[in-house]
Amino acid sequence: VNSLEKALDIAKKNGDKEPFIIGGGEIYKISLLNNLVDKIYLTRIHENFDGDTFFPELGPEWQEVSRRDYEKDKKHVHSYSFLTLEKIN
């Protein structure tokens, strides 16, 4: 397909109750600007990195509904948090 809307429509027609949009940065931006999402699963790594692509800033309409924090360990170089955000009306 050639649009996110068409992809989501096909997913819905195939019975997918929670299709995932998995970036990149421009895809996330389009998804948010076009109000195609109402839930975000976000992994936030507690470190600063150099880069040129970033997840879009979220407005106050996004509320954190769940959070799990993990400290760095033998398997993970950095501490991180796994957040679930939902869009409020």
Side-chain angles (χ1 to χ4, degrees):
V1 298
N2 59 5
S3 76
L4 284 170
E5 290 87 351
K6 287 182 184 177
L8 292 171
D9 187 49
I10 289 170
K12 186 177 182 179
K13 286 178 183 175
N14 286 325
D16 191 337
K17 299 202 186 316
E18 190 176 35
F20 281 71
I21 297 171
I22 303 174
E26 193 63 26
I27 298 294
Y28 291 138
K29 183 178 175 183
I30 291 167
S31 300
L32 291 166
L33 287 174
N34 292 326
N35 294 311
L36 300 177
V37 297
D38 56 12
K39 184 183 281 187
I40 297 172
Y41 297 105
L42 179 69
T43 302
R44 179 160 288 153
I45 302 170
H46 302 288
E47 186 65 46
N48 293 317
F49 298 97
D50 291 329
D52 60 1
T53 303
F54 301 92
F55 192 82
E57 291 289 325
L58 297 173
E61 69 275 16
W62 290 98
Q63 178 180 348
E64 183 179 311
V65 296
S66 163
R67 177 188 196 101
R68 291 184 299 199
D69 297 315
Y70 300 91
E71 295 299 321
K72 62 182 176 178
D73 57 23
K74 292 179 183 179
K75 290 184 175 182
H76 303 94
V77 177
H78 305 288
S79 298
Y80 64 97
S81 298
F82 186 73
L83 311 170
T84 302
L85 305 151
E86 291 184 356
K87 192 172 187 178
I88 55 174
N89 296 326

